[in-house]
Amino acid sequence: MNNPQQLRYSKEHEWLSAAEEGVSTIGITEHAANALGDVVFVQLPEVGATVTAGETCGELESTKSVSDLYSPVDGEVTEINEDVVTDPSLVNTAPFEGGWLFKVKVSGEPDDLLSADEYTAFTG
Amino acid sequence: MTQAPRRTALDATHRALGATMTDFAGWDMPLRYGSERDEHVAVRTRAGLFDLSHMGEITVTGPRAADLLDFALVGNIGGVAVGRARYTMICDAEGGILDDLIVYRLAETAYMVVANAANAQVVLDALTERADGFDAEVRDDRDAYALLAVQGPESPGILKSVTDADLDSLKYYAGLPGTVAGVDALIARTGYTGEDGFELFVRPADAPALWEALTAAGKDAGLVPCGLSCRDTLRLEAGMPLYGHELTTDTTPFDAGLGRVVKFEKTTNGGDFVGRAALEAARDRAAANPPRKLVGLIAEGRRIPRAGYPVVGPDGAVIGEVTSGAPSPTLGKPVAMAYVDAAHAAPGTAGVAVDIRGTHEPYEVVALPFYKRQK
C-alpha cells in the first residue's frame, strides 16, 4: 500500500494534506478504501460546518457496510468534493487524489497524527 | 471457546488470488477478489467462478429414503425423478423454517441434500432424528465434497469446453454424474445468482485442479473469480431468499411467500410430515388474514437499506422491516427485500420509506424479483 510521504494520517484512516493558507484537504486512505470495498454513497459535512478531531462528520457506505467518517482535525469546512458525491467510486479508484472528501480551515489538530512511515507501520 | 474458522480445499488458491477473506458460518471464505461490483457484472454479462465448499452435503440412501425425506421435508421428494433436483425446506413441528435446501435425486434410492453452511448440523441432526423407523441411512458428507459454481450466460460454453457430459439435455434443476477437466463431478444446473449456470460437486482433493482448469477455459469468455459479496447482491436482485434474513425459524414458508414449496397432497406416510398441522394453519392464515408480506423495495435516493432497518408508512409509523438490502449494480439503485404489513405490500403503494439511521428515505414497493434474465 502506497501512502504518500507529503501527507499525514490519523489512526481512523484519514489522510490530511499540508495546509495551504491554513486549509488542508482530507480523505480516507487506500487501506481504508480497500477494507470498505466498493463505496457507493458518501455523506459529507456541509460547507461552513465546524468539525472536531476524532468526531463523526459524515458517512461512507459500501455494499456491505456503513462507516462513520471522522475529521482528523478541528476546524471549519470550506469545501466538499462534489465529484465524489456524484461518483463515490472515486474513493476506491483514487483515494489520495480525485477521491478527496472535504477541505478544512484548520484551527487545531491532535498530537497523534502519523507520518506516512508511521501509518504504514500502523496498518502493516 | 472460539474455534479457528474452517478452510476449504481452495484456500491456498484464494490467497494466491489476493482475495479478501471473511468468516462465514464458521468458514474462512472469499468475500471478494477485487471489486464486488465488477464480479457482479461479470456474472450478469459473462461468467463467474465461485467456491461454495462451505455448503453442507448430506446423503440419504436406502429402500425408504424417499419416504424419509417426504416425512422430514415439506416437499414431494418421492416425486422427484432420478437426475432431477428440487428446491424445498425443512420445518420444525411449529412450521418454522429450519433451512431451505436443494435435494438431488442421484438414484432410485439415493439423494443428496444440500443445506446452508450455518444450518448443516441442524439439518443433519433433524434428518437423523426423523429417520427413526425408516429403512434409510443419513450420512454426513460435508467433508466428502468441495463445491464449485460457474454462473453466467457464458457458463454453458465454458463448461462444454472441458466436459463430454451432455449439457444440452441437462435441464435447470437437474444433475448428472460426469467428468469435468478429468475430474469426477456431479454436474448440476443450479445456482443462486439468477443466471444460467452449473454447480460442480467434486472431491476436495480435485478442487484446486478443477478451479485452474475452469479459470483457463473461461479466460477468453471473461470468467472471473467471484466472492460471497457479489453472490449476495446477485441473489437479492433475483429475489431469492437467504436463510437468516428472509427465512428464519420464526417464519413459515407461507409467511415468506413460498407456500408453493409445501406439498400437502403427499401420499407417503399417510400424508403425514413434520410441521403439517402448523403449516395448514399458516396457509389458512396467509390466505384469510395475511400477516406481513415479503416485498421488494427500490430506493429513490442512494443510501443503502440494511437488514433490520424499519420500514415506515406515510405517517411515519413502522409497517415492516428490511431483511436484505444492497446497492443493485443492475438497477443502479439501492434495493431491499422487506416484510411489510399486507395493507402496504401492493406494488406501487405510496408513501413507503425506510428509516436509514433516523432519516426516512423514500422507497417504491415492487414485486419480486428485481431482475429476471432473458431466456
Side-chain angles (χ1 to χ4, degrees):
Chain A
M1 215 76 69
N2 175 38
N3 296 307
Q5 283 293 331
Q6 71 275 19
L7 303 177
R8 287 183 300 156
Y9 299 86
S10 76
K11 289 180 178 173
E12 282 80 34
H13 308 287
E14 296 95 24
W15 56 261
L16 174 77
S17 74
E20 286 178 37
E21 296 177 5
V23 174
S24 287
T25 304
I26 289 160
I28 67 162
T29 65
E30 187 179 344
H31 173 84
N34 284 352
L36 280 171
D38 293 341
V39 175
V40 292
F41 174 81
V42 297
Q43 184 186 49
L44 300 175
E46 289 180 10
V47 171
T50 302
V51 292
T52 305
E55 289 191 4
T56 305
C57 62
E59 280 179 4
L60 295 168
E61 290 214 28
S62 64
T63 306
K64 278 288 158 201
S65 65
V66 55
S67 303
D68 285 328
L69 172 65
Y70 300 95
S71 176
V73 290
D74 303 334
E76 183 186 323
V77 176
T78 60
E79 188 180 346
I80 63 167
N81 185 356
E82 297 288 354
D83 289 348
V84 87
V85 173
T86 308
D87 179 9
S89 71
L90 287 169
V91 173
N92 295 104
T93 54
F96 295 114
E97 291 146 8
W100 66 275
L101 298 176
F102 59 101
K103 296 186 181 189
V104 169
K105 186 166 183 63
V106 180
S107 60
E109 61 180 54
D111 52 17
D112 62 350
L113 291 176
L114 306 175
S115 69
D117 291 344
E118 287 167 339
Y119 181 72
T120 301
F122 175 70
T123 53
Chain B
M1 194 177 82
T2 54
Q3 253 180 325
R6 299 184 63 184
R7 295 180 171 189
T8 77
L10 291 162
D11 190 74
T13 304
H14 301 318
R15 286 169 203 282
L17 288 166
T20 300
M21 305 295 284
T22 188
D23 180 87
F24 185 88
W27 289 82
D28 203 17
M29 298 298 293
L31 183 65
R32 53 188 157 85
Y33 299 83
S35 156
E36 61 244 334
R37 182 193 171 78
D38 291 349
E39 293 170 19
H40 180 112
V41 172
V43 173
R44 285 276 178 263
T45 59
R46 305 187 306 273
L49 178 60
F50 295 82
D51 177 14
L52 306 175
S53 299
H54 60 312
M55 301 293 283
E57 297 84 5
I58 300 162
T59 305
V60 181
T61 55
R64 295 199 64 205
D67 294 348
L68 161 59
L69 292 171
D70 271 344
F71 172 69
L73 312 180
V74 301
N76 183 3
I77 307 302
V80 178
V82 172
R84 299 305 300 268
R86 183 73 43 94
Y87 177 77
T88 187
M89 293 184 186
I90 182 167
C91 290
D92 59 25
E94 288 74 47
I97 301 166
L98 293 175
D99 201 9
D100 62 337
L101 308 166
I102 293 179
V103 178
Y104 297 88
R105 190 168 200 170
L106 305 178
E108 193 60 38
T109 58
Y111 294 84
M112 181 169 72
V113 177
V114 181
N116 285 296
N119 296 329
Q121 188 66 47
V122 169
V123 175
L124 179 66
D125 291 347
L127 286 177
T128 303
E129 189 190 316
R130 294 173 190 186
D132 191 35
F134 288 95
D135 186 5
E137 185 204 353
V138 176
R139 188 173 72 225
D140 179 1
D141 268 344
R142 283 177 289 182
D143 293 337
Y145 293 103
L147 176 56
L148 278 65
V150 186
Q151 300 280 302
E154 298 287 346
S155 56
I158 292 167
L159 206 59
K160 274 180 196 170
S161 72
V162 288
T163 185
D164 293 333
D166 181 9
L167 299 184
D168 289 332
S169 63
L170 186 66
K171 293 176 180 150
Y172 190 51
Y173 267 78
L176 60 82
T179 304
V180 181
V183 165
D184 290 336
L186 172 68
I187 306 167
R189 200 159 202 159
T190 46
Y192 194 48
T193 61
E195 298 300 330
D196 192 7
F198 301 87
E199 296 186 309
L200 307 170
F201 296 86
V202 300
R203 282 187 292 267
D206 290 335
L210 180 57
W211 179 283
E212 295 307 326
L214 291 167
T215 299
K219 192 164 175 281
D220 292 342
L223 173 133
V224 298
C226 291
L228 295 184
S229 184
C230 81
R231 183 170 159 86
D232 191 45
T233 50
L234 288 159
R235 70 92 196 168
L236 174 58
E237 284 185 348
M240 295 173 171
L242 173 62
Y243 198 86
H245 289 251
E246 287 73 36
L247 311 178
T248 69
T249 49
D250 293 330
T251 312
T252 72
F254 293 96
D255 299 323
L258 291 165
R260 59 184 158 77
V261 306
V262 182
K263 304 299 184 190
F264 291 111
E265 66 276 19
K266 294 185 210 186
T267 53
T268 45
N269 311 306
D272 189 30
F273 60 94
V274 177
R276 178 175 188 117
L279 288 166
E280 283 174 343
R283 174 193 59 190
D284 297 344
R285 194 172 62 240
N289 181 24
R292 289 179 171 182
K293 287 186 173 176
L294 188 64
V295 300
L297 299 174
I298 299 179
E300 293 174 22
R302 297 172 68 174
R303 301 179 87 196
I304 316 301
R306 311 277 175 189
Y309 284 10
V311 180
V312 296
D315 58 359
V318 174
I319 58 164
E321 184 176 302
V322 171
T323 50
S324 296
S328 161
T330 304
L331 277 66
K333 294 174 178 176
V335 300
M337 288 204 262
Y339 282 110
V340 173
D341 290 347
H344 299 273
T349 302
V352 171
V354 175
D355 183 338
I356 297 185
R357 298 181 296 284
T359 307
H360 292 184
E361 298 281 339
Y363 271 75
E364 182 189 356
V365 179
V366 300
L368 293 166
F370 300 102
Y371 167 84
K372 200 164 189 176
R373 78 183 160 99
Q374 306 294 313
K375 290 182 188 170

PDB file of all heavy atoms in Angstrom, chain B residues 331-352:
ATOM      1  N   LEU B 331     -29.685  -2.421 -11.440  1.00  0.00           N
ATOM      2  CA  LEU B 331     -30.666  -1.332 -11.459  1.00  0.00           C
ATOM      3  C   LEU B 331     -30.004   0.033 -11.249  1.00  0.00           C
ATOM      4  O   LEU B 331     -30.603   1.061 -11.542  1.00  0.00           O
ATOM      5  CB  LEU B 331     -31.736  -1.545 -10.384  1.00  0.00           C
ATOM      6  CG  LEU B 331     -32.900  -2.469 -10.735  1.00  0.00           C
ATOM      7  CD1 LEU B 331     -32.447  -3.905 -10.925  1.00  0.00           C
ATOM      8  CD2 LEU B 331     -33.971  -2.423  -9.651  1.00  0.00           C
ATOM      9  N   GLY B 332     -28.799   0.021 -10.683  1.00  0.00           N
ATOM     10  CA  GLY B 332     -28.128   1.281 -10.397  1.00  0.00           C
ATOM     11  C   GLY B 332     -28.705   2.023  -9.215  1.00  0.00           C
ATOM     12  O   GLY B 332     -28.485   3.220  -9.053  1.00  0.00           O
ATOM     13  N   LYS B 333     -29.479   1.337  -8.406  1.00  0.00           N
ATOM     14  CA  LYS B 333     -30.094   1.954  -7.226  1.00  0.00           C
ATOM     15  C   LYS B 333     -30.053   0.957  -6.072  1.00  0.00           C
ATOM     16  O   LYS B 333     -30.027  -0.243  -6.294  1.00  0.00           O
ATOM     17  CB  LYS B 333     -31.568   2.282  -7.504  1.00  0.00           C
ATOM     18  CG  LYS B 333     -31.798   3.342  -8.548  1.00  0.00           C
ATOM     19  CD  LYS B 333     -33.289   3.466  -8.824  1.00  0.00           C
ATOM     20  CE  LYS B 333     -33.543   4.565  -9.846  1.00  0.00           C
ATOM     21  NZ  LYS B 333     -34.969   4.631 -10.201  1.00  0.00           N
ATOM     22  N   PRO B 334     -30.126   1.452  -4.844  1.00  0.00           N
ATOM     23  CA  PRO B 334     -30.264   0.523  -3.725  1.00  0.00           C
ATOM     24  C   PRO B 334     -31.599  -0.218  -3.799  1.00  0.00           C
ATOM     25  O   PRO B 334     -32.623   0.367  -4.177  1.00  0.00           O
ATOM     26  CB  PRO B 334     -30.222   1.426  -2.494  1.00  0.00           C
ATOM     27  CG  PRO B 334     -29.556   2.677  -2.952  1.00  0.00           C
ATOM     28  CD  PRO B 334     -29.969   2.842  -4.388  1.00  0.00           C
ATOM     29  N   VAL B 335     -31.574  -1.491  -3.427  1.00  0.00           N
ATOM     30  CA  VAL B 335     -32.805  -2.289  -3.373  1.00  0.00           C
ATOM     31  C   VAL B 335     -32.822  -3.052  -2.051  1.00  0.00           C
ATOM     32  O   VAL B 335     -31.789  -3.221  -1.406  1.00  0.00           O
ATOM     33  CB  VAL B 335     -32.927  -3.284  -4.545  1.00  0.00           C
ATOM     34  CG1 VAL B 335     -32.927  -2.547  -5.882  1.00  0.00           C
ATOM     35  CG2 VAL B 335     -31.832  -4.335  -4.497  1.00  0.00           C
ATOM     36  N   ALA B 336     -34.022  -3.506  -1.695  1.00  0.00           N
ATOM     37  CA  ALA B 336     -34.146  -4.275  -0.463  1.00  0.00           C
ATOM     38  C   ALA B 336     -35.270  -5.273  -0.592  1.00  0.00           C
ATOM     39  O   ALA B 336     -36.212  -5.075  -1.365  1.00  0.00           O
ATOM     40  CB  ALA B 336     -34.418  -3.348   0.728  1.00  0.00           C
ATOM     41  N   MET B 337     -35.165  -6.350   0.174  1.00  0.00           N
ATOM     42  CA  MET B 337     -36.320  -7.188   0.455  1.00  0.00           C
ATOM     43  C   MET B 337     -36.759  -6.851   1.870  1.00  0.00           C
ATOM     44  O   MET B 337     -35.922  -6.580   2.745  1.00  0.00           O
ATOM     45  CB  MET B 337     -35.978  -8.665   0.327  1.00  0.00           C
ATOM     46  CG  MET B 337     -35.773  -9.099  -1.117  1.00  0.00           C
ATOM     47  SD  MET B 337     -36.061 -10.882  -1.341  1.00  0.00           S
ATOM     48  CE  MET B 337     -34.417 -11.464  -1.300  1.00  0.00           C
ATOM     49  N   ALA B 338     -38.074  -6.833   2.076  1.00  0.00           N
ATOM     50  CA  ALA B 338     -38.588  -6.444   3.386  1.00  0.00           C
ATOM     51  C   ALA B 338     -39.914  -7.132   3.636  1.00  0.00           C
ATOM     52  O   ALA B 338     -40.676  -7.394   2.695  1.00  0.00           O
ATOM     53  CB  ALA B 338     -38.772  -4.928   3.453  1.00  0.00           C
ATOM     54  N   TYR B 339     -40.170  -7.433   4.904  1.00  0.00           N
ATOM     55  CA  TYR B 339     -41.515  -7.843   5.304  1.00  0.00           C
ATOM     56  C   TYR B 339     -42.303  -6.592   5.664  1.00  0.00           C
ATOM     57  O   TYR B 339     -41.868  -5.795   6.503  1.00  0.00           O
ATOM     58  CB  TYR B 339     -41.454  -8.803   6.496  1.00  0.00           C
ATOM     59  CG  TYR B 339     -41.074 -10.199   6.099  1.00  0.00           C
ATOM     60  CD1 TYR B 339     -39.851 -10.748   6.431  1.00  0.00           C
ATOM     61  CD2 TYR B 339     -41.967 -10.975   5.346  1.00  0.00           C
ATOM     62  CE1 TYR B 339     -39.506 -12.035   6.049  1.00  0.00           C
ATOM     63  CE2 TYR B 339     -41.629 -12.263   4.955  1.00  0.00           C
ATOM     64  CZ  TYR B 339     -40.409 -12.785   5.311  1.00  0.00           C
ATOM     65  OH  TYR B 339     -40.074 -14.054   4.918  1.00  0.00           O
ATOM     66  N   VAL B 340     -43.463  -6.421   4.982  1.00  0.00           N
ATOM     67  CA  VAL B 340     -44.266  -5.208   5.136  1.00  0.00           C
ATOM     68  C   VAL B 340     -45.703  -5.618   5.429  1.00  0.00           C
ATOM     69  O   VAL B 340     -46.198  -6.602   4.861  1.00  0.00           O
ATOM     70  CB  VAL B 340     -44.193  -4.361   3.840  1.00  0.00           C
ATOM     71  CG1 VAL B 340     -45.138  -3.188   3.893  1.00  0.00           C
ATOM     72  CG2 VAL B 340     -42.763  -3.870   3.603  1.00  0.00           C
ATOM     73  N   ASP B 341     -46.371  -4.880   6.309  1.00  0.00           N
ATOM     74  CA  ASP B 341     -47.785  -5.142   6.594  1.00  0.00           C
ATOM     75  C   ASP B 341     -48.557  -5.262   5.285  1.00  0.00           C
ATOM     76  O   ASP B 341     -48.343  -4.472   4.360  1.00  0.00           O
ATOM     77  CB  ASP B 341     -48.388  -4.014   7.431  1.00  0.00           C
ATOM     78  CG  ASP B 341     -47.846  -4.015   8.860  1.00  0.00           C
ATOM     79  OD1 ASP B 341     -47.222  -5.021   9.246  1.00  0.00           O
ATOM     80  OD2 ASP B 341     -48.033  -3.015   9.565  1.00  0.00           O
ATOM     81  N   ALA B 342     -49.476  -6.217   5.240  1.00  0.00           N
ATOM     82  CA  ALA B 342     -50.180  -6.518   3.989  1.00  0.00           C
ATOM     83  C   ALA B 342     -50.841  -5.284   3.386  1.00  0.00           C
ATOM     84  O   ALA B 342     -50.920  -5.139   2.164  1.00  0.00           O
ATOM     85  CB  ALA B 342     -51.209  -7.624   4.237  1.00  0.00           C
ATOM     86  N   ALA B 343     -51.310  -4.358   4.242  1.00  0.00           N
ATOM     87  CA  ALA B 343     -52.001  -3.160   3.742  1.00  0.00           C
ATOM     88  C   ALA B 343     -51.091  -2.265   2.907  1.00  0.00           C
ATOM     89  O   ALA B 343     -51.560  -1.447   2.119  1.00  0.00           O
ATOM     90  CB  ALA B 343     -52.559  -2.364   4.927  1.00  0.00           C
ATOM     91  N   HIS B 344     -49.775  -2.411   3.091  1.00  0.00           N
ATOM     92  CA  HIS B 344     -48.823  -1.555   2.368  1.00  0.00           C
ATOM     93  C   HIS B 344     -47.985  -2.356   1.378  1.00  0.00           C
ATOM     94  O   HIS B 344     -46.973  -1.854   0.874  1.00  0.00           O
ATOM     95  CB  HIS B 344     -47.897  -0.849   3.356  1.00  0.00           C
ATOM     96  CG  HIS B 344     -48.596   0.047   4.323  1.00  0.00           C
ATOM     97  ND1 HIS B 344     -48.883   1.361   4.040  1.00  0.00           N
ATOM     98  CD2 HIS B 344     -49.115  -0.195   5.548  1.00  0.00           C
ATOM     99  CE1 HIS B 344     -49.521   1.904   5.066  1.00  0.00           C
ATOM    100  NE2 HIS B 344     -49.680   0.980   6.002  1.00  0.00           N
ATOM    101  N   ALA B 345     -48.364  -3.603   1.125  1.00  0.00           N
ATOM    102  CA  ALA B 345     -47.487  -4.506   0.378  1.00  0.00           C
ATOM    103  C   ALA B 345     -47.739  -4.505  -1.137  1.00  0.00           C
ATOM    104  O   ALA B 345     -46.950  -5.082  -1.880  1.00  0.00           O
ATOM    105  CB  ALA B 345     -47.629  -5.931   0.920  1.00  0.00           C
ATOM    106  N   ALA B 346     -48.813  -3.861  -1.584  1.00  0.00           N
ATOM    107  CA  ALA B 346     -49.105  -3.889  -3.019  1.00  0.00           C
ATOM    108  C   ALA B 346     -48.082  -3.062  -3.789  1.00  0.00           C
ATOM    109  O   ALA B 346     -47.717  -1.968  -3.353  1.00  0.00           O
ATOM    110  CB  ALA B 346     -50.506  -3.356  -3.271  1.00  0.00           C
ATOM    111  N   PRO B 347     -47.624  -3.568  -4.943  1.00  0.00           N
ATOM    112  CA  PRO B 347     -46.694  -2.772  -5.750  1.00  0.00           C
ATOM    113  C   PRO B 347     -47.279  -1.396  -6.043  1.00  0.00           C
ATOM    114  O   PRO B 347     -48.470  -1.266  -6.348  1.00  0.00           O
ATOM    115  CB  PRO B 347     -46.560  -3.595  -7.032  1.00  0.00           C
ATOM    116  CG  PRO B 347     -46.820  -5.005  -6.590  1.00  0.00           C
ATOM    117  CD  PRO B 347     -47.872  -4.893  -5.517  1.00  0.00           C
ATOM    118  N   GLY B 348     -46.460  -0.372  -5.893  1.00  0.00           N
ATOM    119  CA  GLY B 348     -46.910   0.978  -6.158  1.00  0.00           C
ATOM    120  C   GLY B 348     -47.503   1.698  -4.964  1.00  0.00           C
ATOM    121  O   GLY B 348     -47.863   2.877  -5.072  1.00  0.00           O
ATOM    122  N   THR B 349     -47.622   0.998  -3.825  1.00  0.00           N
ATOM    123  CA  THR B 349     -48.145   1.648  -2.623  1.00  0.00           C
ATOM    124  C   THR B 349     -47.361   2.932  -2.347  1.00  0.00           C
ATOM    125  O   THR B 349     -46.135   2.933  -2.346  1.00  0.00           O
ATOM    126  CB  THR B 349     -48.023   0.713  -1.399  1.00  0.00           C
ATOM    127  OG1 THR B 349     -48.742  -0.488  -1.673  1.00  0.00           O
ATOM    128  CG2 THR B 349     -48.598   1.374  -0.154  1.00  0.00           C
ATOM    129  N   ALA B 350     -48.101   4.013  -2.115  1.00  0.00           N
ATOM    130  CA  ALA B 350     -47.446   5.313  -1.945  1.00  0.00           C
ATOM    131  C   ALA B 350     -46.983   5.518  -0.512  1.00  0.00           C
ATOM    132  O   ALA B 350     -47.553   4.969   0.432  1.00  0.00           O
ATOM    133  CB  ALA B 350     -48.411   6.435  -2.347  1.00  0.00           C
ATOM    134  N   GLY B 351     -45.959   6.320  -0.357  1.00  0.00           N
ATOM    135  CA  GLY B 351     -45.576   6.822   0.953  1.00  0.00           C
ATOM    136  C   GLY B 351     -44.733   5.894   1.796  1.00  0.00           C
ATOM    137  O   GLY B 351     -44.585   6.118   2.997  1.00  0.00           O
ATOM    138  N   VAL B 352     -44.172   4.862   1.169  1.00  0.00           N
ATOM    139  CA  VAL B 352     -43.359   3.926   1.928  1.00  0.00           C
ATOM    140  C   VAL B 352     -41.903   4.432   1.961  1.00  0.00           C
ATOM    141  O   VAL B 352     -41.377   4.911   0.952  1.00  0.00           O
ATOM    142  CB  VAL B 352     -43.436   2.510   1.317  1.00  0.00           C
ATOM    143  CG1 VAL B 352     -42.428   1.570   1.973  1.00  0.00           C
ATOM    144  CG2 VAL B 352     -44.858   1.972   1.466  1.00  0.00           C
TER     145      VAL B 352
END
